[in-house]
């Protein structure tokens, strides 16, 4: 018998998500983190352990963990992104590009099925707040409804 609490988010690399998206298009949630980021670790221990969050993300999104300071070359959309040794720690060009140069951790980058950026959202989020955001984007409500309308509508649920 499987334990529902043992379920986890199916994290993948950006390359794996790009390949999976070619076969079955889905939105992509990219969690840009660093090894030293306390709030990143806190989200892994709380928000990303939430049962409803896990179920929804695994169903509607490809979820990617992307180290903002990855020293390896990352290939995405047939382009290579390299590590830049600059500042105290340096950064990888791909997350920096996705975050529009605003290096802040954690940052969540949401892509649509065509790999276009829908939303760049920096900062720690508790599960209830994050779940509202992922359902707003994942359910395509953003196409017909402003965020405030969606929040007001979902208060009654």
């Amino acid at each position: 018998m499987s334990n529902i609490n043992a379920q986890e988010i199916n994290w993948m690399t950006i390359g794996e998500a790009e390949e999976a998206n070619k076969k079955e298009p889905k939105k992509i949630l990219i969690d840009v983190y660093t090894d030293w980021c306390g709030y990143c670790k806190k989200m892994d221990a709380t928000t990303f352990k939430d049962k409803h969050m896990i179920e929804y993300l695994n169903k509607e999104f490809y979820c990617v963990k992307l180290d903002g300071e990855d020293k390896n070359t990352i290939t995405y959309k047939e382009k290579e992104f390299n590590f830049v040794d600059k500042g105290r720690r340096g950064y990888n060009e791909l997350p920096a590009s996705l975050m529009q140069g605003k290096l802040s951790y954690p940052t969540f980058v949401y892509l649509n099925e065509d790999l276009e950026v829908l939303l760049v959202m920096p900062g720690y989020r508790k599960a209830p707040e994050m779940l509202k955001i992922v359902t707003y984007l994942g359910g395509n409500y953003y196409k017909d409804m402003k965020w405030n309308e969606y929040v007001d509508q979902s208060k009654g649920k």
Side-chain angles (χ1 to χ4, degrees):
M1 187 144 70
S2 72
N3 179 351
I4 188 80
N5 295 330
Q7 190 181 13
E8 292 188 359
I9 292 173
N10 299 323
W11 294 108
M12 46 180 57
T13 67
I14 190 78
E16 290 167 343
E18 191 176 7
E19 282 308 304
N21 190 59
K22 287 176 186 170
K23 296 180 185 93
E24 184 188 343
K26 283 188 186 183
K27 290 179 183 67
I28 297 175
L29 163 63
I30 303 172
D31 174 11
V32 184
Y33 72 97
T34 63
D35 291 337
W36 51 264
C37 166
Y39 279 116
C40 300
K41 289 178 175 77
K42 187 174 179 180
M43 286 201 66
D44 285 341
T46 58
T47 305
F48 292 134
K49 293 289 187 228
D50 179 85
K51 182 177 79 156
H52 303 291
M53 180 72 73
I54 292 167
E55 287 172 11
Y56 192 82
L57 287 177
N58 284 343
K59 184 173 167 234
E60 299 296 335
F61 286 82
Y62 293 120
C63 297
V64 171
K65 282 271 188 200
L66 186 59
D67 183 347
E69 298 174 352
D70 193 324
K71 291 185 170 43
N72 298 305
T73 297
I74 302 170
T75 303
Y76 175 64
K77 291 182 170 179
E78 300 177 0
K79 185 176 187 291
E80 288 190 347
F81 295 86
N82 298 298
F83 179 75
V84 177
D85 190 6
K86 189 174 182 184
R88 275 200 332 241
R89 302 187 196 289
Y91 61 91
N92 188 290
E93 294 169 321
L94 176 58
S97 167
L98 291 169
M99 297 188 305
Q100 298 151 349
K102 296 180 181 83
L103 304 179
S104 167
Y105 309 102
T107 290
F108 304 94
V109 180
Y110 296 88
L111 305 178
N112 67 15
E113 296 84 347
D114 297 321
L115 306 179
E116 299 163 339
V117 174
L118 283 175
L119 176 67
V120 177
M121 187 184 75
Y124 172 81
R125 298 287 190 280
K126 289 182 177 169
E129 181 188 2
M130 183 105 178
L131 194 56
K132 246 186 210 130
I133 296 163
V134 298
T135 55
Y136 177 69
L137 297 171
N140 290 323
Y141 296 103
Y142 71 94
K143 291 181 177 179
D144 306 311
M145 192 183 298
K146 289 194 177 353
W147 169 248
N148 294 345
E149 293 173 56
Y150 180 73
V151 171
D152 289 345
Q153 173 195 307
S154 60
K155 280 180 186 164
K157 290 181 182 175

